[in-house]
């Protein structure tokens, strides 16, 4: 899983770049790729963690199919990745042939360095529609060029402690709306003494998840500041309401969420599909105590998922062998068998939709009492709302986090807190408030 809530510090690297003009990137344009071209030579690929493991594992398969090629995968470490990429983009040199970029980072690079990446559209053609649409949107520029290829998705659902809900006499599969969940949370707390959700309010991540669930981001498609919209007020009001009712457990960072879940402090966790790996890897003793249901909707019949995490592969315009780089990226990501393999071996949930039809995603999962939980995530992936990212998302995110704390913990009116945050973002970025 390439993105989890513990991975927020490197956004600082992007924040440092927000002063760069949109056209301030390299003057070169990426090579025009030919999907039928013969490939030869070598490339270097930057990645980290399980992503690097997957790339190294499948690189050998690629070179067997393409004699005369060499794939050098370098694990540059997550902590250094964005600093290295940002410096190389500004210097117009120093990038390898392929880079791993998380989905929510890619739009900022596209805005700041519009000529820094190679258009991958010729490689996928009409198959672009076979990827998670929210990821395609985040990986494309205003002309519709695909500047990075979607890899894995962070499809969100609700993980539920079945024993707590049973004690409260509540069926988690009947939770249609957030109002239903709040009502259930009050019953669970009365019956068990446990709160409903553990989250780190200081990150603002829950707010942004709820905003995307409603099809919106911090910014509008036109680049305006979107924090005074009814959807934004609704998202923050929901969080504040849960806290006011004693249903939130405010924890510190990723470790706080893991510890709270492991200790059974709360009844549900709204999180991405990669949370399954955390449960099975760090809490095997809780097997049989969870089910997974769709995220509650804001209104009956509304969207019941969001996104948290995921990544892409991009070919920089600086690539020395762009044709081989593009071929390898396509081999890795626009390939059903390889995507299924990476899910099975590295836990990377595919953004490539045809892969989700594989038997693996319809198998019973013992940890969840034999439930076919991956079927739920597969069904919801196509429904993830697409939102707009800008080069100012990282800077705005810090201000949004402060607004969440001001409202939820310091009892400021949600609309007033968001209005103040919007005004601060406007001052910091020069952008206009949309509403």
């Amino acid at each position: 899983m390439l993105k989890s809530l513990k991975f927020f510090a490197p956004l600082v690297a992007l924040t440092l770049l927000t002063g760069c003009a949109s056209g301030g990137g390299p003057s070169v344009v990426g090579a025009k790729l030919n999907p039928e071209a013969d490939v030869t030579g070598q490339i270097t690929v930057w990645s980290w963690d399980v992503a690097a493991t997957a790339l190294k594992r499948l690189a050998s398969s690629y070179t067997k199919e393409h004699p005369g090629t060499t794939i050098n995968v370098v694990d540059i470490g997550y902590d250094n990745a964005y600093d290295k990429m940002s410096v190389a983009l500004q210097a117009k040199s120093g990038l390898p042939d392929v880079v791993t970029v998380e989905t929510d980072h890619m739009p900022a690079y596209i805005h700041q360095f519009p000529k820094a990446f190679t258009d991958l559209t010729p490689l996928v053609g009409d198959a672009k529609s076979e990827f998670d649409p929210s990821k395609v949107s985040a990986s494309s520029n205003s002309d519709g060029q695909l500047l990075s290829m979607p890899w894995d998705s962070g499809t969100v659902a609700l993980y539920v402690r079945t024993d707590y809900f049973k004690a409260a006499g509540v069926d988690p599969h009947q939770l249609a709306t957030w109002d239903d969940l709040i009502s259930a949370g009050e019953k669970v707390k009365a019956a068990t003494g446990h709160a409903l959700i553990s989250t780190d309010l200081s990150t603002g991540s829950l707010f942004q998840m709820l905003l995307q669930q409603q099809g919106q981001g911090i910014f509008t498609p036109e680049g305006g500041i979107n924090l005074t919209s009814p959807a934004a007020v609704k998202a923050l009001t929901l969080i504040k309401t849960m806290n006011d009712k004693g249903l939130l457990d405010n924890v510190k960072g990723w470790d706080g969420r893991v510890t709270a879940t492991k200790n059974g402090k709360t009844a549900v966790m709204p999180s991405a599909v990669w949370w399954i790996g955390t449960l099975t890897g760090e809490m095997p003793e809780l097997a049989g105590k969870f089910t997974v249901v769709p995220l509650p909707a804001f209104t009956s019949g509304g969207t019941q998922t969001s996104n948290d995490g995921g990544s892409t592969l991009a070919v920089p315009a600086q690539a020395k062998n762009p044709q081989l780089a593009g071929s390898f990226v396509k081999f890795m990501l626009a390939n059903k068998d390889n995507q299924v393999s990476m899910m099975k071996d590295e836990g990377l949930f595919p953004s490539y939709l045809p892969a989700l039809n594989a038997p693996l995603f319809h198998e019973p999962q013992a940890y969840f009492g034999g439930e076919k939980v991956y079927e739920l995530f597969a069904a919801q992936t196509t429904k993830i709302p697409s939102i707009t990212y800008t080069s100012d998302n990282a800077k705005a995110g810090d201000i949004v986090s402060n607004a969440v704390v001001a409202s939820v913990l310091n009892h400021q009116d949600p609309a007033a807190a968001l209005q103040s945050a919007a005004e601060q973002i406007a001052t910091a970025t020069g952008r206009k408030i949309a509403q």
Side-chain angles (χ1 to χ4, degrees):
M1 287 56 71
L2 296 190
K3 172 70 180 288
S4 65
L5 294 181
K6 61 180 176 180
F7 293 146
F8 275 88
L11 287 174
V12 173
L14 293 182
T15 304
L16 295 175
L17 297 176
T18 55
C20 301
S22 176
S27 59
V28 297
V29 178
K32 186 172 182 178
L33 300 181
N34 177 3
E36 305 301 326
D38 291 332
V39 293
T40 188
Q42 64 178 330
I43 58 172
T44 298
V45 183
W46 281 1
S47 195
W48 60 84
D49 198 44
V50 293
T53 301
L55 290 163
K56 290 176 181 177
R57 180 173 60 81
L58 289 171
S60 60
S61 299
Y62 180 88
T63 54
K64 286 179 182 177
E65 292 184 17
H66 300 83
T69 63
T70 301
I71 313 296
N72 302 306
V73 178
V74 180
D75 188 337
I76 60 173
Y78 186 87
D79 291 340
N80 299 319
Y82 292 106
D83 286 338
K84 291 172 71 73
M85 280 189 267
S86 298
V87 169
L89 284 166
Q90 291 189 80
K92 304 179 185 179
S93 67
L95 284 177
D97 301 274
V98 179
V99 291
T100 302
V101 185
E102 287 170 299
T103 304
D104 57 357
H105 288 55
M106 192 64 198
Y109 282 140
I110 291 173
H111 278 274
Q112 293 160 22
F113 304 103
K115 298 178 181 179
F117 299 97
T118 304
D119 181 17
L120 303 178
T121 308
L123 298 181
V124 294
D126 294 339
K128 184 161 68 170
S129 63
E130 296 180 343
F131 288 91
D132 174 349
S134 71
K135 301 293 180 180
V136 171
S137 175
S139 295
S140 301
N141 64 13
S142 58
D143 294 327
Q145 294 175 316
L146 188 69
L147 299 183
S148 64
M149 196 173 293
W151 187 345
D152 62 310
S153 292
T155 314
V156 171
L158 192 70
Y159 296 79
V160 180
R161 281 289 298 254
T162 53
D163 49 345
Y164 293 178
F165 272 66
K166 183 177 180 180
V170 178
D171 181 358
H173 297 278
Q174 299 300 314
L175 300 173
T177 67
W178 282 101
D179 287 340
D180 293 341
L181 183 59
I182 288 175
S183 177
E186 291 178 302
K187 293 176 182 177
V188 167
K189 186 170 185 180
T192 69
H194 296 290
L196 185 62
I197 295 173
S198 294
T199 187
D200 184 350
L201 292 169
S202 68
T203 67
S205 59
L206 179 58
F207 170 80
Q208 293 197 49
M209 179 192 296
L210 296 174
L211 190 57
Q212 182 168 2
Q213 183 185 0
Q214 300 175 80
Q216 297 186 18
I218 296 175
F219 298 99
T220 67
E222 297 73 30
I225 301 164
N226 195 40
L227 291 182
T228 57
S229 69
V233 174
K234 196 178 292 185
L236 187 51
T237 300
L238 172 61
I239 299 172
K240 186 177 186 300
T241 298
M242 288 191 287
N243 190 65
D244 290 347
K245 291 178 177 291
L247 301 179
L248 281 189
D249 171 40
N250 187 28
V251 298
K252 182 66 174 177
W254 170 263
D255 290 340
R257 293 181 72 206
V258 172
T259 300
T261 304
K262 188 175 180 67
N263 293 340
K265 292 190 69 175
T266 47
V268 305
M269 178 65 74
S271 194
V273 60
W274 42 253
W275 186 247
I276 291 176
T278 303
L279 292 177
T280 57
E282 301 197 34
M283 309 169 214
E285 70 277 9
L286 298 181
K289 295 185 181 295
F290 286 94
T291 188
V292 183
V293 299
L295 208 60
F298 276 85
T299 58
S300 184
T303 301
Q304 290 193 268
T305 191
S306 187
N307 184 78
D308 185 12
S311 59
T312 67
L313 287 177
V315 177
Q318 301 175 22
K320 294 181 175 63
N321 193 341
Q323 197 65 58
L324 175 57
S327 174
F328 179 65
V329 168
K330 181 180 178 181
F331 170 84
M332 289 292 300
L333 306 186
N335 182 306
K336 178 178 177 178
D337 291 341
N338 287 342
Q339 286 275 22
V340 172
S341 167
M342 288 187 284
M343 176 66 200
K344 182 177 180 181
D345 289 1
E346 285 86 28
L348 298 168
F349 192 80
S351 292
Y352 187 55
L353 302 179
L356 300 179
N357 296 321
L360 174 65
F361 297 94
H362 305 279
E363 295 175 356
Q365 300 299 316
Y367 189 91
F368 296 91
E371 292 184 3
K372 300 177 181 180
V373 294
Y374 287 121
E375 283 189 346
L376 184 153
F377 288 102
Q380 293 293 334
T381 297
T382 60
K383 302 173 184 177
I384 299 172
S386 299
I387 61 173
T388 299
Y389 297 90
T390 75
S391 57
D392 292 317
N393 261 80
K395 185 181 295 184
D398 292 336
I399 297 172
V400 167
S401 298
N402 292 336
V404 171
V405 170
S407 179
V408 179
L409 298 183
N410 298 333
H411 311 295
Q412 187 175 356
D413 175 72
L418 290 169
Q419 177 67 40
S420 176
E423 292 170 357
Q424 292 175 57
I425 294 170
T427 300
T429 66
R431 295 179 182 272
K432 294 183 178 180
I433 300 173
Q435 298 184 42

